[in-house]
Amino acid sequence: MSDHEEILPGQGLHIEKMPGHWLLAQMGKRVLRPGGLELTRRMLDALTIVPTDRVVEFAPGLGVTAQLVLAKSPSSYTAVEADDAAAKRVQGYLSGDNQRCVVGQAEHSGLPDGCATVVYCEAMLSMKTPEHKATIIREAKRLLVPGGRCGIHELALVPDDIDDPTRDAINRALSQSIHVGVRPLTVSEWKALLHREGLTITAQATAPMHLLEPSQIIQNEGLAGMARIAWNVLQNPAARQRVLAMRRVFRQYDRNLAALMLVAEKGNQ
Ligand SMILES: C[S@@+](CC[C@H](N)C(=O)[O-])C[C@H]1O[C@@H](n2cnc3c(N)ncnc32)[C@H](O)[C@@H]1O
């Protein structure tokens, strides 16, 4: 393991209070988005990144998707990550003047207008208020050149006409177990969010939300990763309780939760 790979966000926080994604990272999990690597690959396929692309990623986390994108040799890669430790880790995967990870908020990235042909983010918007969701999509659009592509990979509520009490119960249960406010939208609402900001949807896919199911953990982290996570969780009763509580909520609401990826295009004017 190289130096930067030892850097993990959440260090020094109490297990009981830590955001769920950093708890999972501390336990050895590296893929922290709802649809796993499979849905990430479908998003990247639809974004069709080629060597002439200038790519911006919001919230790269531990840099798993960053590495997949860098393998496509884009002309530039810029990440905007709120967490210092995560940003350092991502920076460790980067090299040269055209690749960087800045510590900052996607809402106001500080990057110039039209600096990107592709902007994407995964597992970040679901944790934002409706206003912040819109601000972040507006920021993505501002960074895009006309004709540029925008990808998101988030948690969705199903069906589209889910009733308010069920929605409220899910938001409450997710937020209580993950310790971060979580407000997923339905598939139609996610599409409307991009549409309202002037983006045209060009691709869409859903997958079951099986982030903590053993089969998906093995698919995403490999057998050695699964063993590492299981060992760490068994060694730490407080973490074990929290991971099991998160999985209980995901299983309880399995029928009403899905992972969603959308790709959209900014028009030419
Ligand atoms: C659930 S993790 C997902 C990480 C990664 N995208 C993945 O899918 O594995 C959420 C990430 O969003 C980052 N984040 C939260 N709010 C942010 C913001 N306003 N701007 C940039 N990054 C943010 C967190 O620091 C964390 O890295």
Side-chain angles (χ1 to χ4, degrees):
M1 193 188 284
S2 57
D3 284 354
H4 68 272
E5 286 183 326
E6 283 168 18
I7 303 170
L8 281 175
Q11 218 105 46
L13 297 177
H14 279 293
I15 293 282
E16 289 79 5
K17 303 223 167 93
M18 193 181 288
H21 46 277
W22 294 152
L23 175 73
L24 296 176
Q26 291 284 331
M27 293 299 106
K29 196 148 175 29
R30 299 293 173 257
V31 175
L32 305 173
R33 72 295 308 260
L37 281 179
E38 177 60 26
L39 205 58
T40 294
R41 290 209 174 90
R42 295 185 71 176
M43 179 186 78
L44 294 181
D45 284 350
L47 284 171
T48 59
I49 296 170
V50 293
T52 49
D53 277 314
R54 288 170 282 139
V55 177
V56 171
E57 175 169 11
F58 289 155
L62 302 181
V64 172
T65 305
Q67 291 172 79
L68 297 175
V69 167
L70 291 168
K72 297 174 187 292
S73 311
S75 151
S76 68
Y77 170 87
T78 308
V80 182
E81 168 56 56
D83 184 274
D84 227 345
K88 273 204 191 79
R89 187 183 170 104
V90 173
Q91 190 61 48
Y93 296 121
L94 309 180
S95 62
D97 292 343
N98 294 334
Q99 300 180 359
R100 65 194 176 117
C101 181
V102 297
V103 179
Q105 302 290 321
E107 288 85 337
H108 30 84
S109 66
L111 301 176
D113 289 5
C115 65
T117 56
V118 173
V119 179
Y120 68 89
C121 76
E122 297 179 284
M124 187 261 269
L125 294 168
S126 301
M127 300 187 295
K128 301 296 175 191
T129 62
E131 297 73 26
H132 276 137
K133 284 180 174 76
T135 310
I136 292 167
I137 297 298
R138 212 168 300 135
E139 180 71 350
K141 189 184 172 205
R142 184 184 70 76
L143 301 187
L144 284 172
V145 294
R149 291 95 76 204
C150 173
I152 67 168
H153 174 175
E154 294 290 340
L155 197 54
L157 294 173
V158 286
D160 270 344
D161 63 353
I162 189 167
D163 59 81
D164 285 344
T166 308
R167 181 195 291 258
D168 292 344
I170 292 174
N171 286 355
R172 225 178 7 256
L174 286 174
S175 303
Q176 270 167 11
S177 69
I178 299 177
H179 294 185
V180 176
V182 186
R183 302 169 185 86
L185 302 178
T186 64
V187 173
S188 293
E189 289 165 350
W190 280 118
K191 289 166 80 173
L193 171 72
L194 299 189
H195 190 69
R196 264 197 308 277
E197 299 308 325
L199 299 165
T200 306
I201 311 288
T202 55
Q204 142 182 13
T206 54
M209 178 9 199
H210 285 169
L211 183 69
L212 293 182
E213 291 304 325
S215 58
Q216 197 180 94
I217 298 179
I218 292 171
Q219 245 179 42
N220 286 311
E221 318 284 344
L223 271 175
M226 172 73 174
R228 176 183 64 212
I229 295 165
W231 173 256
N232 288 336
V233 168
L234 284 171
Q235 295 304 303
N236 190 327
R240 181 160 184 265
Q241 244 181 26
R242 282 210 54 201
V243 172
L244 292 179
M246 283 193 266
R247 193 173 69 184
R248 253 194 320 273
V249 173
F250 297 159
R251 283 185 176 170
Q252 182 183 353
Y253 293 108
D254 187 49
R255 276 186 319 143
N256 293 111
L257 288 174
L260 168 73
M261 82 82 186
L262 292 174
V263 168
E265 209 171 280
K266 176 173 168 171
N268 277 317
Q269 52 261 357

Coordinates of all heavy atoms in Angstrom, one line a residue, residues 21-22 30-33 59-61 80-83 104-107 122-124 127-128, ligand 1:
H21 N -20.4 6.9 5.5 CA -19.4 6.6 4.4 C -18.0 6.5 4.9 O -17.2 5.7 4.5 CB -19.6 7.5 3.2 CG -19.7 9.0 3.5 ND1 -20.9 9.6 3.9 CD2 -18.8 10.0 3.6 CE1 -20.6 10.9 4.1 NE2 -19.4 11.1 3.9
W22 N -17.7 7.4 5.9 CA -16.3 7.3 6.5 C -16.1 6.1 7.4 O -15.1 5.5 7.5 CB -15.9 8.6 7.2 CG -15.9 9.8 6.3 CD1 -16.1 11.1 6.7 CD2 -15.5 9.9 4.9 NE1 -15.9 12.0 5.6 CE2 -15.6 11.3 4.5 CE3 -15.2 9.0 3.9 CZ2 -15.3 11.7 3.2 CZ3 -14.9 9.4 2.6 CH2 -15.0 10.7 2.3
R30 N -14.1 0.7 -0.1 CA -13.5 1.7 -1.0 C -14.6 2.3 -2.0 O -14.4 3.4 -2.4 CB -12.3 1.2 -1.8 CG -11.2 0.7 -0.9 CD -10.5 1.9 -0.2 NE -9.5 1.4 0.8 CZ -9.7 1.4 2.1 NH1 -10.9 1.8 2.6 NH2 -8.8 1.0 2.9
V31 N -15.6 1.5 -2.3 CA -16.6 1.9 -3.2 C -17.8 2.3 -2.4 O -18.4 1.5 -1.7 CB -17.0 0.7 -4.1 CG1 -18.2 1.0 -5.0 CG2 -15.8 0.3 -5.0
L32 N -18.1 3.6 -2.4 CA -19.1 4.2 -1.5 C -20.3 4.8 -2.1 O -21.0 5.6 -1.6 CB -18.4 5.3 -0.7 CG -17.1 4.9 0.1 CD1 -16.4 6.1 0.7 CD2 -17.4 3.8 1.1
R33 N -20.6 4.3 -3.3 CA -21.8 4.8 -4.0 C -22.8 3.7 -4.2 O -22.5 2.5 -4.2 CB -21.4 5.4 -5.4 CG -21.0 4.5 -6.5 CD -19.7 3.7 -6.3 NE -18.5 4.5 -5.9 CZ -17.6 4.8 -6.8 NH1 -17.6 4.5 -8.0 NH2 -16.5 5.4 -6.3
A59 N -16.6 15.6 -5.5 CA -16.7 14.7 -4.4 C -16.1 13.3 -4.8 O -16.9 12.3 -4.7 CB -18.2 14.5 -4.0
P60 N -14.9 13.2 -5.1 CA -14.3 11.9 -5.5 C -14.2 10.9 -4.4 O -13.9 9.7 -4.7 CB -12.9 12.3 -6.1 CG -12.6 13.6 -5.4 CD -13.9 14.3 -5.2
G61 N -14.3 11.3 -3.1 CA -14.1 10.4 -2.0 C -12.8 9.8 -2.0 O -11.7 10.4 -2.0
V80 N -13.0 18.2 -7.1 CA -13.3 19.2 -6.0 C -13.9 18.3 -4.9 O -15.0 17.8 -5.0 CB -14.4 20.2 -6.5 CG1 -14.7 21.2 -5.3 CG2 -13.9 20.9 -7.7
E81 N -13.2 18.2 -3.8 CA -13.5 17.4 -2.7 C -13.5 18.2 -1.4 O -12.6 18.9 -1.1 CB -12.5 16.2 -2.6 CG -12.6 15.3 -1.4 CD -13.9 14.7 -1.0 OE1 -14.5 14.0 -1.8 OE2 -14.4 15.0 0.1
A82 N -14.6 18.0 -0.6 CA -14.8 18.8 0.7 C -13.8 18.3 1.8 O -13.4 19.1 2.6 CB -16.2 18.8 1.1
D83 N -13.5 17.0 1.8 CA -12.8 16.5 2.9 C -11.3 16.5 2.6 O -10.8 15.9 1.6 CB -13.2 15.0 3.1 CG -12.6 14.4 4.4 OD1 -11.5 13.9 4.2 OD2 -13.1 14.5 5.5
G104 N -12.5 21.8 -1.5 CA -13.6 22.9 -1.7 C -14.9 22.3 -1.7 O -15.1 21.1 -1.6
Q105 N -15.9 23.2 -1.9 CA -17.3 22.8 -2.0 C -17.8 22.8 -3.5 O -17.5 23.8 -4.1 CB -18.2 23.8 -1.2 CG -17.8 23.9 0.3 CD -18.1 22.7 1.0 OE1 -19.2 22.1 0.8 NE2 -17.2 22.3 1.9
A106 N -18.4 21.8 -3.9 CA -18.9 21.7 -5.3 C -19.9 22.9 -5.6 O -19.9 23.3 -6.7 CB -19.6 20.4 -5.5
E107 N -20.6 23.4 -4.5 CA -21.5 24.4 -4.8 C -20.9 25.7 -5.4 O -21.5 26.4 -6.1 CB -22.2 24.9 -3.4 CG -23.2 23.9 -2.9 CD -22.5 22.8 -2.0 OE1 -21.3 22.5 -2.2 OE2 -23.2 22.2 -1.2
E122 N -20.8 11.4 -7.7 CA -21.5 10.2 -7.3 C -21.7 10.3 -5.7 O -20.8 10.6 -5.0 CB -20.7 8.9 -7.6 CG -20.4 8.7 -9.0 CD -19.5 7.5 -9.3 OE1 -18.3 7.6 -9.1 OE2 -20.1 6.4 -9.7
A123 N -22.9 9.8 -5.3 CA -23.2 9.7 -3.9 C -22.9 10.9 -3.1 O -22.4 10.9 -2.0 CB -22.4 8.5 -3.3
M124 N -23.3 12.1 -3.6 CA -23.1 13.3 -2.9 C -24.4 14.1 -2.9 O -24.8 14.6 -1.8 CB -21.9 14.1 -3.5 CG -21.5 15.3 -2.7 SD -22.2 16.8 -3.5 CE -20.9 17.2 -4.6
M127 N -27.2 13.7 -0.3 CA -27.0 14.1 1.1 C -27.2 15.7 1.2 O -27.0 16.2 2.2 CB -25.6 13.8 1.6 CG -25.3 12.3 1.6 SD -23.7 11.9 2.3 CE -22.6 12.7 1.2
K128 N -27.7 16.3 0.1 CA -27.9 17.7 0.1 C -29.3 18.2 0.2 O -30.2 17.4 -0.2 CB -27.2 18.3 -1.1 CG -25.7 18.0 -1.3 CD -24.9 18.6 -0.2 CE -23.5 18.2 -0.3 NZ -22.7 18.5 0.9
Ligands
LIG1 C1 -20.7 9.0 0.1 S1 -19.1 9.8 -0.2 C2 -19.0 9.3 -1.9 C3 -17.6 9.4 -2.4 C4 -17.4 8.9 -3.9 N1 -18.0 9.8 -4.8 C5 -17.9 7.5 -4.1 O1 -18.9 7.4 -4.7 O2 -17.2 6.5 -3.6 C6 -19.5 11.5 -0.3 C7 -18.4 12.4 -0.7 O3 -18.9 13.7 -0.9 C8 -17.9 14.6 -0.4 N2 -18.7 15.9 -0.2 C9 -19.7 16.2 0.5 N3 -20.2 17.4 0.3 C10 -19.4 18.0 -0.6 C11 -19.4 19.2 -1.3 N4 -20.2 20.2 -1.0 N5 -18.4 19.4 -2.2 C12 -17.5 18.5 -2.5 N6 -17.5 17.3 -1.9 C13 -18.4 17.0 -1.0 C14 -17.5 14.0 0.9 O4 -16.4 14.5 1.5 C15 -17.3 12.5 0.4 O5 -16.1 12.4 -0.2

